[in-house]
Amino acid sequence: MPFYRIPSPTPESRELTAQLDKMSAEYAAILGENYRARKAEYFEKCRALAEKLHRENKITIYAGDSGFEKLYSAIGKETTGHLAAITIFCTDSESFYIIGVCINSTPLFRRMNESKDDIDARAHDRWGKLGVYFEGEGTKNIL
């Protein structure tokens, strides 16, 4: 996959990365009593921000089951496994994040610390219908 569609790091993307890193750390730190409800509430704040940033062209959907606005509706009866719908997005070519909703657990939001090759392999193994990773490969891009 050529990197020409993924932006190079800029001061603005690094600032946005710092904001998303802070949010993912805050999300991960939610523990204790009623943690599921508090995580669900904070996750919705993270999902809404990602949707807004995508509309403003500040982040790129790299691969996924759906866009941010349709994560919940992407859960179908045919879905099996722990994660029902997940999307990988990036602020630039160095900063990738994963966000998703789960069937029987708390939602997922974190920075991906895997290598670009590992992220590509995950995208290839799981998806084939959404994001710049799949553009030009004969699949329908539904962005």
Side-chain angles (χ1 to χ4, degrees):
M1 161 78 191
F3 249 161
Y4 69 91
R5 302 287 322 255
I6 306 297
S8 297
T10 64
E12 294 80 18
S13 72
R14 293 196 189 282
E15 185 177 313
L16 182 55
T17 295
Q19 178 185 2
L20 290 167
D21 285 349
K22 180 180 179 207
M23 289 183 80
S24 68
E26 289 171 352
Y27 180 77
I30 298 172
L31 302 169
E33 189 173 326
N34 298 321
Y35 79 95
R36 285 182 188 238
R38 289 183 292 127
K39 271 193 180 274
E41 183 179 336
Y42 196 76
F43 172 82
E44 182 52 31
K45 182 178 178 180
C46 298
R47 189 212 55 80
L49 176 64
E51 182 179 355
K52 176 182 175 280
L53 293 172
H54 184 251
R55 276 194 318 268
E56 295 171 352
N57 295 316
K58 294 181 179 177
I59 61 174
T60 302
I61 293 180
Y62 191 67
D65 294 318
S66 73
F68 303 108
E69 70 285 354
K70 296 183 180 178
L71 277 174
Y72 295 109
S73 63
I75 301 173
K77 291 181 181 172
E78 71 283 349
T79 306
T80 59
H82 183 65
L83 291 170
I86 59 178
T87 298
I88 296 173
F89 67 94
C90 57
T91 58
D92 56 43
S93 60
E94 296 177 355
S95 305
F96 289 81
Y97 297 83
I98 188 166
I99 190 168
V101 292
C102 303
I103 296 172
N104 296 315
S105 188
T106 55
L108 169 69
F109 175 58
R110 68 173 173 81
R111 183 178 180 137
M112 298 183 74
N113 293 318
E114 293 91 320
S115 72
K116 172 75 172 56
D117 289 341
D118 290 341
I119 293 169
D120 287 353
R122 183 184 293 208
H124 179 74
D125 288 346
R126 179 163 173 124
W127 300 290
K129 59 186 177 192
L130 177 72
V132 296
Y133 178 83
F134 299 104
E135 287 180 3
E137 293 194 11
T139 57
K140 184 179 179 188
N141 185 333
I142 56 174
L143 290 173

